[in-house]
Amino acid sequence: MSVASIDVPRWDGPLPSRDEVAKMIDHSLLRPELTPTEVEDGLATALEYRTASVCVRPADVPVAAAALRGSQVAVGTVVGFPHGGSTTAAKVFETTEAISLGAEEIDMVINIGRLRGGDIAFVQDEIAAVVRAAEGRPVKVIFENAYLTDHEKTSGYKAAEAAGAAFVKTGTGFAPSGATAADIALMRRTVSSHVQVKAAGGVRTLDALLELRRLGATRFGATATAAILDDLQGRHEGNAAVVDTAGSAGAGY
């Protein structure tokens, strides 16, 4: 599934540096059909652009850890992805195994049905179990906002903060819709400044990234990393960059 790209006007404010924006991006390599060669190419992109991290499938963590060793690009992976319906014990095991293989950041999917059913205690306890298993590494909690009411969202965000999460995150990129301006604003005003906000799903242009940054997002899951950063570089140089997000490996996240 490919969620629609966020449609915003062209950014007319001050432009951050390319390095500053790169350090807001988790380069995403999560599409199920990615081949080993495509994963290696994606890791090379993350190294070239010096992104904050790559977010890879669990089976790709050893390859990513080897490729990125000695760099400033962190290795991230997913837990309970993409549906969130695994048991808590399975999510804890996934976290522990991923860390043993070299993962430095964990993006976990909540049990969406339990949150929709009002079982906030279960959701908070499960997040806390993954946070404990991560042993101080950042845990980004994925809410799949497309399926939630605003009340469910805010209840979940507060539970994530209480459980010790480092980030609240909009979604997996595989739901019917992705990040929205309204959700980013809601997330930012719900959690304290100790918790960061990650936008994922449809962030394929520089303008979308900068608008969501204005609203409070500090990290972005993206496959269009090269296009976004090349566009930024072009604007700094006074050129109109050619932006092609359709061909990015795994486009849709």
Side-chain angles (χ1 to χ4, degrees):
M1 162 172 276
S2 179
V3 300
S5 182
I6 299 166
D7 185 19
V8 299
R10 184 179 174 86
W11 180 259
D12 63 358
L15 289 172
S17 71
R18 196 179 86 156
D19 284 348
E20 184 181 353
V21 172
K23 288 306 179 187
M24 299 177 192
I25 294 176
D26 294 340
H27 187 55
S28 175
L29 298 169
L30 294 171
R31 296 287 294 189
E33 73 275 15
L34 291 180
T35 66
T37 298
E38 288 171 329
V39 171
E40 289 171 6
D41 289 345
L43 296 172
T45 295
L47 279 171
E48 177 184 354
Y49 287 90
R50 300 187 298 276
T51 59
S53 80
V54 292
C55 194
V56 298
R57 301 167 301 197
D60 297 323
V61 169
V63 171
L68 301 176
R69 188 171 292 120
S71 77
Q72 294 185 341
V73 181
V75 178
T77 194
V78 288
V79 164
F81 195 86
H83 300 304
S86 338
T87 64
T88 299
K91 292 179 182 180
V92 168
F93 177 81
E94 281 189 273
T95 302
T96 302
E97 182 182 40
I99 288 168
S100 74
L101 295 173
E104 301 165 275
E105 299 186 351
I106 300 294
D107 289 37
M108 70 159 288
V109 186
I110 63 160
N111 188 307
I112 302 161
R114 288 293 189 106
L115 178 56
R116 292 187 66 233
D119 195 347
I120 305 302
F122 177 93
V123 172
Q124 181 171 321
D125 288 348
E126 183 170 82
I127 297 169
V130 170
V131 169
R132 287 192 297 271
E135 297 182 335
R137 296 165 183 83
V139 173
K140 304 167 200 165
V141 181
I142 304 173
F143 283 92
E144 210 68 292
N145 285 334
Y147 299 123
L148 305 174
T149 66
D150 280 358
H151 174 71
E152 290 161 355
K153 293 171 192 175
T154 56
S155 296
Y157 306 155
K158 290 174 183 176
E161 178 164 7
F167 288 78
V168 289
K169 177 177 169 182
T170 55
T172 63
F174 292 93
S177 61
T180 67
D183 277 342
I184 295 300
L186 179 63
M187 296 169 101
R188 184 65 278 160
R189 66 175 179 263
T190 299
V191 296
S192 75
S193 60
H194 300 294
V195 180
Q196 297 186 61
V197 174
K198 178 175 175 180
V203 185
R204 299 197 196 105
T205 67
L206 175 63
D207 299 303
L209 185 150
L210 293 176
E211 175 60 16
L212 297 184
R213 171 178 175 261
R214 183 185 70 80
L215 294 170
T218 52
R219 195 76 72 88
F220 300 87
T223 58
T225 300
I228 290 168
L229 294 173
D230 288 350
D231 186 12
L232 178 58
Q233 186 66 28
R235 295 191 200 188
H236 275 300
E237 295 172 356
N239 302 321
V242 177
V243 181
D244 175 15
T245 63
S248 50
Y253 183 71

